[in-house]
Amino acid sequence: MRIVIAPDSFKGSASAVQVTKAIADGWLSVRPDDEIVELPMADGGEGTLDAFLLAVPGARRFPVRVTGPDGRVAQASWVLLPPTTELPGGTGVVELAEASGLPLMGRLDPLAANTLGFGQTIAAALDHGVSRLLLGIGGSASTDGGGGVLTALGARMLDAEGLSVLLGGGALMEVVTVDLSKLRALPEGGALVLSDVTNPLLGASGAANVFGEQKGADAAQRALLDAALAHWAEVLRDTGVPADPTAPGAGAAGGTGFGLLAWGAELVSGASTVADAIGLDTALAEADLVITGEGRYDAQTDGGKAPAIVARRAGERGVPVALVAGSLAVEPRGFTASASLTELAGDVAAAIAEPTTWLHRAGAVLAAGSLVA
């Protein structure tokens, strides 16, 4: 039988590549004659580059040294997908988490952390001559409205004296105007921003108030950042930039979605775009079963996260789907079977301590359950 394994990463525990391999090894320990197709998924966050490298023949990784979110040097990379007739320079895939992600912070600094390194990585892909960009923006350490990205791409944020403003969301209130005369152009094939976040830039459901706490912002700092982002949006509007702060996804990655909209990029479903790029539909065409998963399956999963996208596409083709999750916060719907690492391991701590062990067990349990003939 042909088994497609297409999970997302178990964030903070195991990458999508590790999750995929562990489930596959577990399945084969019970059914060694089955054909396994490994297609690790991503939604624009951690593991996006790895998913493309494994799934797309000829994909290449290019390392680049950048300024991390706290000002220290960071080692990042981007991935080049092979050229096509329509995209002769190939597609550059850039992952914010690698250059400006939360784990890169020496200590949390919600007002000064920024996305400069992410912009520098994008600039490196442009320097290479890519024809299109896929920009994954999960895992941000900052709430800077994309100011760091735009600065790296040539924009200048200026104060009342005409001097450059410091980076970070806390300094956005000082921006009086933005000089876009040297802002780099989009590649000819455009730029797609991959995210599963649909929050607007501002307000109670905006970037600062929803995601600021996990980046170290207390209540007063979240209020300050929300006001700073509103000011930033007004400055860009007065500059003539047609970016909409109410657009779904504008609040993604601390407002990086909004900054990339200002550049002219298009916000799209991260999981759907990754699925298209790695050939999920082709793999599903002859599949007998699909196994997907994520670290925590909850009410937000159906909103467009990787397992929901995989399950939806499999369902359209009549292929049964099984779910592996670190934990199940709600009852899974639409799956032939499911396995929870927390239940297999006995508790959350044990599951997190040895994720690949329990992922292997989950694969074996599903195989032993006779999900295929």
Side-chain angles (χ1 to χ4, degrees):
M1 294 296 166
R2 180 181 173 92
I3 314 300
V4 174
I5 303 180
D8 199 351
S9 66
F10 282 35
K11 292 179 174 57
S13 180
S15 71
V17 173
Q18 293 171 323
V19 173
T20 302
K21 186 178 188 310
I23 294 173
D25 288 346
W27 183 279
L28 291 172
S29 71
V30 176
R31 297 178 57 94
D33 296 329
D34 286 344
E35 176 189 359
I36 300 294
V37 179
E38 297 185 22
L39 277 183
M41 278 286 293
D43 56 17
E46 173 190 352
T48 297
L49 296 187
D50 290 339
F52 280 102
L53 282 168
L54 185 64
V56 180
R60 291 187 293 156
R61 185 190 293 268
F62 290 82
V64 57
R65 288 169 67 85
V66 300
T67 303
D70 60 0
R72 297 181 299 165
V73 173
Q75 184 66 52
S77 63
W78 63 279
V79 165
L80 177 66
L81 305 185
T84 64
T85 302
E86 297 79 12
L87 301 168
T91 295
V93 186
V94 186
E95 180 183 307
L96 181 149
E98 274 217 351
S100 303
L102 195 59
L104 297 176
M105 297 292 291
R107 62 177 180 81
L108 297 180
D109 192 348
L111 301 184
N114 61 78
T115 53
L116 182 67
F118 181 45
Q120 291 170 333
T121 313
I122 294 171
L126 292 174
D127 289 343
H128 190 85
V130 299
S131 296
R132 182 180 66 157
L133 287 166
L134 299 179
L135 306 174
I137 62 171
S140 168
S142 63
T143 310
D144 75 345
V149 169
L150 295 180
T151 296
L153 294 173
R156 293 184 64 212
M157 301 187 297
L158 305 174
D159 64 16
E161 303 295 326
L163 302 175
S164 294
V165 171
L166 293 174
L167 296 177
L172 290 177
M173 289 295 289
E174 300 175 22
V175 181
V176 172
T177 187
V178 184
D179 179 0
L180 302 175
S181 62
K182 295 184 179 179
L183 181 64
R184 299 187 66 158
L186 292 165
E188 57 268 32
L192 300 180
V193 182
L194 316 181
S195 174
D196 66 349
V197 171
T198 58
N199 301 69
L201 181 66
L202 308 172
S205 59
N209 287 308
V210 173
F211 305 110
E213 184 174 4
Q214 70 190 39
K215 300 170 186 179
D218 59 26
Q221 289 172 323
R222 293 196 295 273
L224 184 155
L225 287 167
D226 189 58
L229 290 172
H231 175 74
W232 171 234
E234 291 178 5
V235 170
L236 284 176
R237 182 195 63 202
D238 293 343
T239 308
V241 176
D244 181 5
T246 69
T256 302
F258 176 73
L260 292 171
L261 279 174
W263 188 38
E266 179 185 354
L267 297 177
V268 297
S269 164
S272 290
T273 304
V274 171
D276 290 340
I278 67 175
L280 176 64
D281 291 346
T282 300
L284 292 175
E286 299 180 359
D288 295 292
L289 174 73
V290 180
I291 303 175
T292 187
E294 64 179 343
R296 175 181 168 84
Y297 180 88
D298 57 25
Q300 297 182 35
T301 300
D302 288 341
K305 291 191 175 183
I309 298 300
V310 173
R312 189 176 309 145
R313 295 192 180 196
E316 291 170 354
R317 292 159 178 78
V319 180
V321 188
L323 173 74
V324 175
S327 62
L328 299 172
V330 297
E331 187 69 23
R333 296 183 301 171
F335 294 95
T336 300
S338 64
S340 162
L341 303 196
T342 299
E343 293 179 5
L344 291 173
D347 58 50
V348 173
I352 292 176
E354 296 184 272
T356 55
T357 296
W358 300 108
L359 286 162
H360 186 284
R361 178 71 62 84
V365 168
L366 291 176
S370 300
L371 299 181
V372 293

